[in-house]
Amino acid sequence: MRLRRGARAAPTGLHSTDYHAPVLITGESERSAMAGEPQDDCLFCKIVAGHIPATIVRETETTVAFRDINPQAPTHVLVIPRVHYRNAAELAAAEPAVAADILREAQAVADEDELESYRIVFNTGTGAGQTVWHAHAHILGGRGLEWPPG
């Protein structure tokens, strides 16, 4: 099933924790063998495949952008690659053009939401707050954002 641009709400009764359950990969060889391929146990791969609903705001050949189900700002959109990499660093090393596409789409999201200023966040690793092990950027805007964050 191919995702299409348009609003799709999360099913009733689901909570943000349902969508942000960590997916653990145990070994280095397992990690490298799966890089770039869809993962059956990955939430974002399921969104890309259309198996889990999301409020899609933009799509390209390489990316999908959708509203966060637990927004931290008036605009809180996630931009994800269609290919599976555990984090932004792995994506950038393996497919730098797709990493650049994510940044391009972040700007497009900001333009569509008429944001004068916004923040792009890539959480990489548990200590940084990454809870879904699929590279993604958070686009936050529409309110003042303090520095340092968190």
Side-chain angles (χ1 to χ4, degrees):
M1 178 185 300
R2 181 158 163 76
L3 297 175
R4 295 207 162 111
R5 184 178 157 92
R8 289 187 286 175
T12 354
L14 291 180
H15 303 283
S16 64
T17 54
D18 297 327
Y19 279 89
H20 293 285
V23 176
L24 299 176
I25 296 175
T26 53
E28 194 63 37
S29 61
E30 233 180 297
R31 178 181 303 155
S32 60
M34 298 187 306
E37 297 298 320
Q39 303 302 303
D40 292 337
D41 58 353
C42 173
L43 169 70
F44 290 171
C45 288
K46 291 177 182 180
I47 289 174
V48 167
H51 300 303
I52 291 180
T55 304
I56 306 294
V57 296
R58 292 188 55 82
E59 289 188 89
T60 69
E61 187 177 307
T62 59
T63 66
V64 177
F66 54 93
R67 303 237 175 245
D68 194 293
I69 62 166
N70 185 25
Q72 302 300 303
T75 292
H76 188 169
V77 172
L78 302 178
V79 181
I80 67 170
R82 289 182 182 273
V83 292
H84 180 91
Y85 288 93
R86 287 176 47 85
N87 58 50
E90 288 182 12
L91 173 65
E95 300 195 41
V98 176
D101 291 345
I102 290 173
L103 293 174
R104 221 176 341 274
E105 283 305 298
Q107 179 64 57
V109 166
D111 291 345
E112 284 186 1
D113 278 18
E114 300 178 348
L115 299 176
E116 290 183 22
S117 59
Y118 60 96
R119 181 172 290 160
I120 301 171
V121 176
F122 289 93
N123 296 324
T124 301
T126 305
Q130 184 177 3
T131 58
V132 177
W133 301 102
H134 184 118
H136 59 284
H138 295 258
I139 315 314
L140 299 142
R143 69 169 174 82
L145 299 168
E146 301 296 320
W147 193 260

